[in-house]
Amino acid sequence: MQSGVVRVAIVQAAPVYLDLEKSLRRCLSLIEEAARGGARLIAFGETWLAGYPAWLDHSPDVALWNHEPTKHLFARLRANSVLVPGPVTEEIGRLARDLGVVVTIGVNERVDRGPGHGTLYNSLLTFNAGGNLVRHHRKLVPTYTERLVWGAGDGAGLEPVDTEIGRVGGLICWEHWMPLTRQAMHDAGEKIHVAVWPTVHEMHQIASRHYAFEGRCFVLAAGSIMSGRDLPPELRRPAGVSDDTLLLRGGSAIIGPDGGYLAGPLIDAEGIITADLDLTAIDREVMTLDVSGHYSRPDLFTLSVHVRSRP
């Protein structure tokens, strides 16, 4: 039986858009703030370092061939992306160790050498309370316009990891609608799941709550805040979008293994939401549904997962 109560937190805030150094400083400050509130797991949204490329869906120019402003913007995105491992992961890991907390954060990841060294990835990183980077997952399939800036991920990270607070995993955005990906995570015994989104609107709420109910696990649905003032000046701004228009509206929520809300959703505002997770709730809920156990049919279905990095 799972035991104990664990306080967790989602940081819903805006990074300093496309400025990795300033965003990292804000990230470290927010981790400290959440830790002072007693959180032992602290989660940030999708590609929080250093911002989700919402301009892909808010400019009529981004898909134009050989478009100089877009090329310059991609270069900015690449220059402000994270090497894994690298100086940024070392700083986050050091703080996680000093505070004794688990940290999960989405990043734009760049590769600087070897095969694929020009490619960016949408990645989700998890640091344990010892400061070690214990999970590195790249989004399997960039969604629609995201394919203009990110490459396809691999099987590394398609399983949760044991941490000081339990078995923690996570997926990125529309991976929550990939049935086999969900099943792979459920089969691996996930207890606390971090679902990162750019913003957790209604359908994302549904996906996050369904994941918690299906997997009989706790879900931290983490979203971010982004306003029109953060749209890059290289591209034309769409009609009706002002500096104060919220393009990403947050929506972060903490969900129990019965699919019910424990905290949030927090919409249209920055903040840190927390909840105390009673891990024994998992044992109570699997009585009726356990998709990897008594509610599965291994005599009819098999699933093979290639959990490895691709060169």
Side-chain angles (χ1 to χ4, degrees):
M1 175 178 287
Q2 302 298 307
S3 62
V5 174
V6 176
R7 178 164 294 181
V8 299
I10 300 174
V11 174
Q12 179 168 291
V16 182
Y17 199 70
L18 291 184
D19 188 321
L20 180 58
E21 181 57 32
K22 290 181 179 178
S23 291
L24 176 61
R25 296 302 130 212
R26 185 161 206 224
C27 168
L28 298 177
S29 175
L30 290 165
I31 291 172
E32 291 177 338
E33 182 180 347
R36 285 195 298 270
R40 298 185 62 201
L41 167 63
I42 301 164
F44 292 76
E46 183 174 354
T47 59
W48 200 90
L49 290 174
Y52 179 79
W55 43 271
L56 290 168
D57 298 317
H58 290 90
S59 173
D61 300 327
V62 292
L64 296 176
W65 177 253
N66 209 30
H67 186 244
E68 282 298 326
T70 305
K71 291 197 294 183
H72 284 293
L73 181 52
F74 180 81
R76 282 182 62 201
L77 177 64
R78 180 170 168 73
N80 287 278
S81 293
V82 177
L83 292 171
V84 183
V88 170
T89 62
E90 289 174 4
E91 286 208 51
I92 296 174
R94 187 179 305 116
L95 183 60
R97 181 193 64 219
D98 292 346
L99 297 174
V101 297
V102 177
V103 176
T104 297
I105 187 168
V107 304
N108 290 287
E109 178 194 353
R110 80 174 189 267
V111 178
D112 267 2
R113 61 187 64 187
H117 66 270
T119 299
L120 298 182
Y121 296 96
N122 178 342
S123 298
L124 183 60
L125 310 179
T126 299
F127 302 82
N128 67 12
N132 301 305
L133 176 60
V134 291
R135 188 171 185 269
H136 174 196
H137 172 60
R138 292 170 173 169
K139 187 176 183 181
L140 297 178
V141 182
T143 303
Y144 195 46
T145 53
E146 293 175 353
R147 298 178 197 181
L148 292 169
V149 296
W150 292 321
D154 54 40
L158 275 186
E159 55 186 353
V161 290
D162 291 316
T163 73
E164 295 77 3
I165 61 168
R167 201 150 168 78
V168 176
L171 292 174
I172 303 168
C173 201
W174 280 36
E175 288 181 328
H176 293 87
W177 283 300
M178 300 175 74
L180 300 184
T181 302
R182 295 199 311 271
Q183 188 64 47
M185 298 295 291
H186 300 332
D187 286 349
E190 191 177 35
K191 305 304 179 187
I192 302 175
H193 176 82
V194 180
V196 296
W197 309 87
T199 185
V200 197
H201 59 55
E202 182 185 14
M203 283 304 298
H204 297 167
Q205 297 285 342
I206 291 169
S208 299
R209 295 183 69 184
H210 174 268
Y211 191 99
F213 186 90
E214 178 182 76
R216 290 320 204 207
C217 61
F218 292 93
V219 170
L220 281 65
S224 295
I225 295 289
M226 178 181 175
S227 65
R229 65 175 50 88
D230 284 331
L231 284 175
E234 292 93 333
L235 301 178
R236 288 186 294 160
R237 182 180 292 186
V241 173
S242 69
D243 281 356
D244 295 327
T245 301
L246 285 181
L247 306 176
L248 304 181
R249 301 178 56 201
S252 297
I254 301 172
I255 303 159
D258 61 353
Y261 286 114
L262 301 176
L266 175 63
I267 301 172
D268 291 351
E270 292 195 345
I272 297 176
I273 65 170
T274 63
D276 293 327
L277 311 186
D278 176 5
L279 299 181
T280 64
I282 294 172
D283 300 284
R284 294 193 294 272
E285 295 303 327
V286 294
M287 177 179 177
T288 50
L289 177 66
D290 178 5
V291 297
S292 297
H294 63 258
Y295 221 92
S296 66
R297 288 294 302 271
D299 56 323
L300 301 179
F301 308 110
T302 58
L303 173 61
S304 298
V305 185
H306 302 285
V307 184
R308 62 175 181 265
S309 297
R310 182 180 64 199

